[in-house]
Structures are given as C-alpha cells and as structure tokens.
Amino acid sequence: MKIAKDIKELKDAISKFSGSVGFVPTMGALHQGHLSLIQKARAENDNVVVSIFVNPTQFLPGEDLDKYPRREEADKKICEVAGVDILFMPEISSMYHSDEVKLKAPSYLGYILEGNRRPGHFDGVVQIVMKLLNLVQPDRAYFGKKDAQQLVILQKMAKDLFLPYEIVPVETVREDDGLALSSRNVYLSAEERERALSISRALKAASRLIMAGEFSSEVIEAKMSEIMKDIDVEYIAIVDRDFRPLKKVKIQNSIILVAAKVGKTRLIDNLWV
Amino acid sequence: MKIAKDIKELKDAISKFSGSVGFVPTMGALHQGHLSLIQKARAENDNVVVSIFVNPTQFLPGEDLDKYPRREEADKKICEVAGVDILFMPEISSMYHSDEVKLKAPSYLGYILEGNRRPGHFDGVVQIVMKLLNLVQPDRAYFGKKDAQQLVILQKMAKDLFLPYEIVPVETVREDDGLALSSRNVYLSAEERERALSISRALKAASRLIMAGEFSSEVIEAKMSEIMKDIDVEYIAIVDRDFRPLKKVKIQNSIILVAAKVGKTRLIDNLWV
C-alpha cells in the first residue's frame, strides 16, 4: 500500500493504475462500517483508493473538529489489511485555497434535518467531496447509508453537475445488539451505550409495523418516540428519497430518520424502506 | 459533424472518440473570435466539441437574454467548415434540475468590476461551465482573453476544485481597425461603431506608454480616459492576474480592463501586459 501524503504523490501513484478505480473518502477513525465500504470497493474495482481527511469546512464553530477521534496508525493498518492500494492523507493547507469557487448544498435538502441542526455542514461536505473526486477520478465512490442525507445530497450533486463518477450507497453496519457503527460511539459510557440501543430498537419496531401493514407516519413515529423515551430525541422524520415528509410510508421510496443525544453524544440512524 | 441535441446523443458521439478532446463552449452567434478558439482546439486535439447554449443563469433580470443574438443555421455551417466533430446544442430543461447543488464564484473575484455590475453573473458562468466540462470531459477547454475576468475565474475554479481539465486562454481577435470582436457588436450603428474604436485605441495608447517606461496606473488611466471621452466609460482598471488593483503596472502580471457603453451597447475590452 502506498501512503500518499500530498497531491503529487497521489497523482504519481494513480498514474500507475490500470483498470477501474474505487474510492472511499473518510475522516479516519476507521471502524467496521468503513471496512465494509472498502471491501465493497475492493470487490467491485481493480484499484482502491481510501482518503483520510478530517475536513474542517464541514464542522461548525463549537463542533468537535479538534477532538474528532484520530487514530492514524490503526487506520493505516486497517487499510493495509483490507487491500487498499493508495491511502491518501493530505494536509489541510494543500486541499484549500483562499477565496475559493464554492459549492453550496441544495437549499432544501442541505438545510433541513441534519442541515437545520448544522447549517453549512453540507456545503462543506459537497466542497471537499468534489475536490477529492476530481483528484482521484474514480469510477465509483462509496458512501454509507447511515449518513442518509449526505448520501442523497452527494447523489444530487453528481446528477446536477453531471459528474462522471458513480456514487454507490453501502448498507449500514451494526453491532450484534443493533447499534449502528459510528466513530462517535467511542464517546459513549457503558450506561449511555445501553440507552443508545433504543434508537435501533425504535427503527426495528418501525420496520415491524410497516411489514404488518401500518403505513401511517404518525402511528409509526408515536411508537418510536415511546421506545426512545429515555434518550433526548432531536427528530424522527419519515421522508421520501428526496427528503419530502410523508404522511404514509411508501415502500421502496421512504427513509425513516432519527437523531438523538445520549449524554453529550449526538447519534443518527435510519432505515431505508 | 454530428449535431447532438441532447445529453444522450452527446455521450454516444463522444464514446466513438479516440485520442484527445478539445472543447469550446459558446453561446452561439459565432464570429471570428469563436473561430479562433475552435481553430486552436482543432490544432491541439484529436477531437473537437463545440457547445452552443445560451445559458439563462448567467443573465440577470432585465439583461438581454431574450434578444441575445441567435443564428443557429449560420453557426452550424461555421462549425462544419471549421472541422468540429460534435456540435452540442442542448435544451435548457435538460441542463438544469430543481434546487441544484450550486457553484458560487469567489467572493472577491466574482463580485468586482464585471461582477459588481452584474452581481451573480459569474455564479451562473461557473455553474454551466462545470456542467459542460463534466459532460464533455475534455483534455482542454478554450476561453477567450477578451472575457478576462471570466477566464481568471474559470482558471481559479479548475485550481480550487482540482478539475482534471486544462483551461486554455486564447488571444482576442480584432477587426482591422482594432475593434475587439463580440456578439454584441451587431447592435452598434455605424456612428457608434466609429466611437467604439476609442476603446481599443485607449488600450493601444496604454501599451505604448508602458513600452516607453510609464508604469503609473494613474497616468495610464488618465490618458485612456482622455481618448475615450466621447463614450460612456464605466470603468478603467489596472489589476494583477488575481484582479488586485495595481498602482504600478507589473510586466507579465497585469491586465488593463475597460468597460464602456456606446449608445445602448455595453462593450468590454482589455490588454494583458
């Protein structure tokens, strides 16, 4: 595995590729969720590039940029073992210039739910993902369905700007007890982790209701609220794949989203129906 | 020459290319200036794509979008004769979606001079050029130095977003008497055309002053103002290649810019020093 510390090293290493390229952009602190992205990229492409870049422009003032978990050596090992060809770890200064041409997330999709809570976050996401995609020029780029809104925005970016890269969604990976994997899970105490399980339980309950023929968003949300009564639920949303609110779940075109705080840790999870 | 009326036709035609691709995006009403872009693209690439698309998002309310000159049949003939391989003429509806991921021109470079006069114009330019570049995926895209600010903004876009396309500047083409070619020249009456010549005369006078060792922007601008006293000068600017104002001309790193109204027609011209 080649570790590319700057753009020139990345370009040099990519120039030796032949065949298709799969790309997994990450912010490091790799876990089983990232690994499943890498494995899918590995299975579907001749070459695999992973980037680790904690992108400052997607953190808002007061967010956890400085204390975002960093585990460089472990991350390198994980990539090596997973068969990554190039691990790209650039400095911030090489990725940004002064007074840039900027990308803005869609005004609806970029500013509801996660975007309402974190205004400007998705502008930072589209800016850095656009840069990374153009540097790597992959055939396919892999993103987790756990960050559902991010995934839908990136798919919209690819469509709106006619990007010649395929955005590939990857299933959420869960612990045996259902907790969706997240780099932020490390912040949870044992007691908080136990309470956090109510999120995936609520989503499972929603799934069971739908399979039993209950499509009313109101009924489903009430059941989910009840299950998550011991954590600080920020929102439950039932939306279509364009994130328009639904009164009734539509099979094959719905996402059920939850954001909640457990102690000081903010968690998100969702179910694609 | 293949005329591609939609994105599918464009993609199909491009898929038959082998070798390098040169691209000339235009708004039609082709003149000798466009032809020089096409000829340069033809000389430097195995394949040449020209687009004709009068992009609505770069016109401000009240500007001349509806009466922007359209000469489809003549344009086709010019491209055919110039050896263009694909002429891409898409409908507006196929190029834009609802609530898009948007590009914004740099906040300084995009909002001074032309951007001050036409706020938002360069946002529309970067949006459409990004789309067209991604659709054509050229090795090189050609833009005229006459639209100096547009050219510098597009070069900045390519740099900031790490676009894998080269932005190639092309010299301004002039009539024998010095008038810079522009699609808007057709609006000039004979008398206005005569007065419009003072713009290129003022730039030539600036050039002579500099060659004689006079680098003071104040002195050069005063001389230019005097020459252009019979037209409605909007601005004279002497800037570096990042469009920062200069008190003294710097050889190899200056642009002298003029915008003026002659009758109802707004003209721009410049000199790269």
Side-chain angles (χ1 to χ4, degrees), chain A residues 132 154 173 205 215:
Chain A
L132 291 167
L154 292 174
V173 177
F215 296 148

Side-chain angles (χ1 to χ4, degrees), chain A residues 219-242:
Chain A
V219 172
I220 295 166
E221 288 177 19
K223 179 70 178 171
M224 291 175 69
S225 288
E226 189 194 314
I227 294 171
M228 296 188 287
K229 66 183 185 310
D230 292 334
I231 62 173
D232 182 9
V233 175
E234 206 174 276
Y235 63 75
I236 300 171
I238 301 184
V239 299
D240 68 15
R241 298 292 165 93
D242 295 321

